């Protein structure tokens, strides 16, 4: 959209006038800038605009603000000295050993030139900009093999403590922003620059899928919940497809995607790597996809969160909250991996005592993941090939078919590196399980069938149904929470979580269909328009949530954003029905 709008504005020569565009040359040179703004407007991206991030040399900074970026797009000066990048448009200064841009005045001279504090700060920023450029040229000349330049007063200055103080790193974090706001109101200005709060490390969330309708609806559900959860960072779908399947695939836009070769059938052995019997869920696509991503993607995150596609996020999963660190990943318990305690671990890892029965949700430092990913894949293949030990009493695999090879591959690979996990049972819950009172679970893992009364949901029943590309298709609605039996508090909390999981999946599908511009369902059926089937009324939802909140032991399981989302959706539904009636 950015590119398209840039080309569109560039071609619109009738509106190049300065009075229309602000372009002082009237030549369309800022087409790209308008392309960005118009493209963002087209897709509804609204910006948080900050005047504190960047400054042009020559401009006077706001009181108490330390800019992070210096943009030397315009000429600037200090006394009689000046610099303009346009004067060096054809300059090969990068390859001319020892030649720098003209040296500017020294800080001592600037102090004599200007007495006003903020104007003096502006001049120091000008010095910082040009001196940093010259320092960069010196480093590049050295990298080019140039001989060491002769001593000069200016070169001595560039290596001095004075210059180091002028160019010390600037930080912008939530804490420093708050400090700056105080400074703007007359607080201590030095705090904003000298004592920034440490920002949290970057996080990237991954999940792996295939190009099938079965994984498409899971993708819609997970990505929808990711955006509601407050999970920091970006999310990437690792999409494993054969070339032939990819040609026919229609779900490219369902999530930010990294494409990886399919490992459904092993390229060397020809073995079909299905995890569940009689299904097409490959057992090693996940570690193979993660390894491919590590080797081919540009990654700037410090911690990686790995999920399964059949999960719903209810809240953020962060390394700082759950205490993940380099050498100590965090995961959730998979107690059925009994092979960690018997001969299977002794066969497949040199350190059976380091085998952790974990899986599902993983928080791992990127350095550990880079060392570990190949072992994860290798051990998965190794366990898969060990058919002599498929027995249920050895693996815990109720099908005795090797479908949990990837899970053992993970545990045995981590054991090889002695990566010991912090095992946390309060991150993940299976819908249908009774939650612990007061625990705010962050993830639903709907890998097993769950029920509420006569209603049930089993993901396996929707393996071949395309609910993503058929307008307004969805799963059977879960029961109305008002109908639940409240005599048993544990059962009530269990059923409310199950209903939440089912409703989140349907909410995700509904939003997906809206984004696909499916025709208004109310215009397709008068009966649906009149009855509003499949929707909860605002009053009913409000009564349910108030009732649940009144239960002190359930209070901790409810997040404010869930209440807000449900209330807003209900109000919108009521307004829609009122407009029809």
């Amino acid at each position: 959209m950015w590119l398209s709008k840039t080309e569109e504005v560039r071609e619109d020569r009738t509106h190049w006038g300065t009075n229309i565009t602000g372009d002082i040359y009237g030549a369309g040179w800022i087409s790209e800038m308008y392309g960005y703004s118009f493209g963002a407007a087209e897709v509804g991206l609204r910006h948080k605009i900050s005047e504190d991030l960047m400054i042009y040399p020559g401009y006077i900074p706001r009181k108490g603000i330390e800019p992070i970026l210096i943009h030397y797009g315009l000429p600037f000066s200090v006394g009689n000295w000046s610099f303009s990048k346009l004067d060096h448009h054809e300059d090969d200064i990068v390859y001319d050993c020892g030649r720098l841009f003209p040296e500017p005045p020294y800080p001592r001279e600037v102090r004599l030139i200007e007495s006003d504090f903020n104007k003096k700060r502006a001049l120091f920023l000008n010095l910082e900009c040009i001196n940093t450029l010259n320092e960069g040229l010196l480093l590049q000349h050295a990298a080019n093999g140039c001989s060491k330049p002769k001593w000069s007063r200016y070169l001595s200055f560039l290596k001095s403590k004075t210059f180091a103080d002028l160019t010390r790193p600037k930080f912008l974090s939530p804490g420093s922003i708050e400090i700056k706001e105080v400074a703007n109101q007359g607080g201590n200005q030095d705090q904003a620059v000298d004592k920034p709060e440490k920002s949290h490390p970057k996080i990237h969330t991954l999940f792996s899928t295939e190009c099938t309708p079965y994984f498409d609806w899971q993708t819609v559900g997970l990505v929808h919940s990711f955006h509601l959860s407050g999970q920091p960072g970006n999310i990437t779908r690792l999409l494993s497809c054969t070339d032939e399947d990819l040609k026919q695939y229609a779900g490219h836009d369902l999530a930010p995607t990294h494409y990886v070769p399919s490992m459904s059938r092993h390229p060397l052995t020809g073995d079909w790597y299905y995890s569940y019997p009689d299904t097409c869920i490959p057992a090693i696509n996940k570690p193979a996809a993660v390894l491919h991503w590590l080797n081919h993607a540009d990654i700037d995150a410090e911690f990686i969160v790995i999920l399964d596609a059949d999960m719903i996020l209810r809240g953020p999963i962060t390394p700082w909250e759950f205490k993940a660190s380099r050498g100590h990943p965090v995961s959730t318990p998979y107690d059925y991996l009994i092979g960690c305690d018997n001969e299977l671990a002794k066969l497949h890892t040199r350190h059976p005592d380091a085998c952790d029965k974990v899986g599902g949700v993983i928080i791992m430092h990127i350095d550990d993941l880079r060392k570990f990913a190949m072992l994860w894949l290798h051990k998965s293949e190794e366990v898969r090939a060990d058919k002599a030990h498929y027995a249920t009493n050895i693996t815990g695999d109720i099908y005795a078919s090797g479908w949990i090879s990837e899970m053992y591959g993970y545990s045995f690979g981590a054991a090889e590196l002695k990566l010991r996990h912090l095992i946390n049972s309060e991150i993940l819950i299976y819908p249908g399980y009774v939650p612990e009172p007061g625990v705010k679970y962050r993830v639903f893992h709907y890998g097993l069938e769950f029920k509420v009364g006569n209603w049930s949901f089993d993901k396996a029943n929707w393996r071949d149904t395309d609910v993503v590309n058929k307008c307004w298709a969805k799963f059977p609605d879960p029961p109305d929470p008002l109908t639940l039996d409240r005599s048993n508090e544990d059962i009530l909390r269990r059923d409310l979580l199950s209903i939440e999981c089912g409703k989140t999946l349907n909410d995700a599908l509904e939003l997906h269909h809206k984004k696909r511009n499916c025709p208004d369902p109310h215009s397709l059926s008068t009966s649906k328009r009149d009855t509003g089937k499949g929707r909860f009324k605002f009053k009913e939802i409000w009564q349910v949530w108030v009732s649940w909140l009144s239960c002190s032991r359930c209070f901790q399981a409810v997040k404010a954003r869930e209440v807000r989302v449900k209330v807003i959706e209900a109000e919108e539904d009521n307004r829609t029905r009122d407009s029809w009636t």
Side-chain angles (χ1 to χ4, degrees), residues 496-510:
L496 284 170
L497 289 178
S498 296
I499 290 172
E500 180 189 338
C501 182
K503 188 175 186 306
T504 302
L505 285 171
N506 275 341
D507 288 346
L509 286 170
E510 181 180 19

Side-chain angles (χ1 to χ4, degrees), residues 528-545:
K528 287 183 181 179
R529 181 176 63 211
D530 292 308
T531 63
K533 266 188 178 179
R535 296 208 177 252
F536 300 144
K537 294 180 180 179
F538 169 76
K539 183 178 179 181
E540 292 171 346
I541 289 181
W542 185 252
Q543 289 173 343
V544 170
W545 285 98

Side-chain angles (χ1 to χ4, degrees), residues 335-348:
D335 292 332
Y336 56 82
L337 297 179
I338 60 175
C340 275
D341 300 327
N342 60 37
E343 62 191 271
L344 195 66
K346 295 176 182 177
L347 286 169
H348 293 288

Side-chain angles (χ1 to χ4, degrees), residues 255-297:
T257 299
H258 176 82
Y259 296 88
V260 301
S262 175
M263 289 287 283
S264 302
R265 188 171 190 176
H266 197 282
L268 298 179
T269 66
D271 182 17
W272 287 95
Y273 275 73
Y274 297 154
S275 54
Y276 292 92
D278 303 321
T279 71
C280 298
I281 309 173
I284 64 167
N285 264 341
K286 184 176 179 180
V290 170
L291 182 62
H292 191 278
W293 179 75
L294 288 170
N295 289 333
H296 292 85

Side-chain angles (χ1 to χ4, degrees), residues 291-396:
L291 182 62
H292 191 278
W293 179 75
L294 288 170
N295 289 333
H296 292 85
D298 293 326
I299 305 165
D300 64 352
E302 186 175 346
F303 282 91
I304 309 301
V305 175
I306 302 175
L307 305 175
D308 287 337
D310 58 343
M311 290 182 174
I312 294 293
L313 272 169
R314 305 179 70 238
I317 304 169
T318 61
W320 51 88
E321 180 176 358
F322 294 104
K323 311 304 181 186
S325 61
R326 186 187 283 106
H328 295 284
V330 168
S331 192
T332 50
Y334 271 11
D335 292 332
Y336 56 82
L337 297 179
I338 60 175
C340 275
D341 300 327
N342 60 37
E343 62 191 271
L344 195 66
K346 295 176 182 177
L347 286 169
H348 293 288
T349 174
R350 296 170 298 170
H351 309 292
D353 292 342
C355 184
D356 291 327
K357 293 183 280 188
V358 295
V361 175
I362 300 160
I363 313 172
M364 186 176 287
H365 194 278
I366 185 66
D367 293 346
D368 294 331
L369 188 59
R370 290 189 187 281
K371 297 174 186 175
F372 163 72
M374 179 61 81
L375 276 171
W376 183 6
L377 175 59
H378 173 64
K379 290 296 178 181
S380 297
E381 294 173 315
E382 187 179 292
V383 174
R384 177 73 180 184
D386 185 11
K387 297 187 177 183
H389 294 91
Y390 273 12
T392 302
N393 66 318
I394 296 176
T395 64

Side-chain angles (χ1 to χ4, degrees), residues 565-578:
V565 168
K566 289 172 172 60
V567 170
I568 290 170
E569 289 176 345
E571 289 175 335
E572 290 176 349
D573 292 341
N574 281 343
R575 283 197 295 269
T576 301
R577 286 197 292 275
D578 290 343

Side-chain angles (χ1 to χ4, degrees), residues 329-485:
V330 168
S331 192
T332 50
Y334 271 11
D335 292 332
Y336 56 82
L337 297 179
I338 60 175
C340 275
D341 300 327
N342 60 37
E343 62 191 271
L344 195 66
K346 295 176 182 177
L347 286 169
H348 293 288
T349 174
R350 296 170 298 170
H351 309 292
D353 292 342
C355 184
D356 291 327
K357 293 183 280 188
V358 295
V361 175
I362 300 160
I363 313 172
M364 186 176 287
H365 194 278
I366 185 66
D367 293 346
D368 294 331
L369 188 59
R370 290 189 187 281
K371 297 174 186 175
F372 163 72
M374 179 61 81
L375 276 171
W376 183 6
L377 175 59
H378 173 64
K379 290 296 178 181
S380 297
E381 294 173 315
E382 187 179 292
V383 174
R384 177 73 180 184
D386 185 11
K387 297 187 177 183
H389 294 91
Y390 273 12
T392 302
N393 66 318
I394 296 176
T395 64
D397 174 5
I398 59 174
Y399 303 106
S401 61
W403 72 269
I404 52 178
S405 305
E406 174 270 317
M407 302 178 197
Y408 276 116
Y410 179 89
S411 292
F412 294 159
E416 281 295 283
L417 296 176
K418 293 188 176 180
L419 280 177
R420 300 311 303 267
H421 292 75
L422 301 175
I423 303 174
N424 193 308
S425 60
E426 298 186 353
I427 297 176
L428 177 149
I429 189 171
Y430 288 88
Y433 282 33
V434 175
E436 289 295 324
V439 175
K440 294 186 282 188
Y441 296 99
R442 305 302 171 87
V443 176
F444 286 137
H445 190 185
Y446 55 90
L448 305 174
E449 181 184 23
F450 57 98
K451 301 178 180 180
V452 179
N454 295 325
W455 175 87
S456 66
F457 182 83
D458 185 345
K459 69 171 188 175
N461 293 335
W462 299 89
R463 188 175 298 122
D464 301 316
T465 306
D466 189 353
V467 293
V468 170
N469 295 306
K470 182 180 177 182
C471 275
W472 306 117
K474 64 175 184 176
F475 305 115
D477 285 317
D480 184 335
L482 283 175
T483 65
L484 296 181
D485 181 3

